[in-house]
Amino acid sequence: MSRLTDLRFRAATSFQRRINPVLRRLPLQTVLETTGRVSGLPRQTPVGGRRVGDSFWLVSEFGERSQYVRNIKADPWVRVRIRGRWHTGTAHLVPDDDPVARLRRLPRFNGLGVRAFGTDLLTVRVDLDT
């Protein structure tokens, strides 16, 4: 990993540690809840994404370095809060998807941040239980 990549990762995660506790309390903020792979406790992460039919799509800015992606690999059962309502589902990492093209179809504000700070984009699809 390059020094610049590591610096971007550390800067973004430091910022997210401070802002995420505030964001996840906002009632209309989309939140992904995974199960901590070590603690077994629920872990909530504010995300930007979009529901398309019975799936919810998002792009991880740091790929498999993201804690929530590591949690998904350990246990793909997740919950997603969309517009204030919780939905259960199964998350899938989609490495063959084009994450840059996917970002064009997701909320613009989040996409700008992911593109600006992201170093290893990875698409995630959550198949929602109906």
Side-chain angles (χ1 to χ4, degrees):
M1 176 185 328
S2 77
R3 189 167 186 259
L4 178 59
T5 299
D6 188 53
L7 181 62
R8 286 168 62 183
F9 175 77
R10 290 187 311 151
T13 54
S14 177
F15 174 74
Q16 289 168 345
R17 272 191 213 105
R18 289 171 176 77
I19 194 76
N20 283 356
V22 174
L23 289 178
R24 69 177 160 241
R25 290 188 196 131
L26 299 176
L28 295 181
Q29 170 66 50
T30 302
V31 174
L32 175 69
E33 183 179 88
T34 59
T35 301
R37 64 194 174 282
V38 175
S39 69
L41 299 173
R43 300 296 181 197
Q44 295 183 348
T45 306
V47 295
R50 176 164 286 142
R51 183 175 183 165
V52 179
D54 289 334
S55 295
F56 181 80
W57 293 85
L58 66 127
V59 175
S60 167
E61 60 195 333
F62 298 114
E64 295 192 16
R65 284 185 79 186
S66 295
Q67 296 299 320
Y68 69 87
V69 170
R70 295 172 71 187
N71 289 342
I72 287 169
K73 287 177 75 173
D75 181 359
W77 186 88
V78 300
R79 293 192 324 153
V80 183
R81 188 178 72 195
I82 306 168
R83 295 185 185 140
R85 184 169 171 237
W86 286 102
H87 304 269
T88 59
T90 305
H92 304 275
L93 307 181
V94 191
D96 295 336
D97 189 65
D98 180 350
V100 174
R102 179 70 55 192
L103 281 171
R104 289 188 206 109
R105 297 188 295 263
L106 299 180
R108 183 172 293 161
F109 180 73
N110 176 260
L112 291 172
V114 170
R115 277 193 289 270
F117 292 103
T119 58
D120 188 21
L121 305 182
L122 175 65
T123 300
V124 178
R125 182 188 79 238
V126 177
D127 294 334
L128 302 172
D129 298 335
T130 53

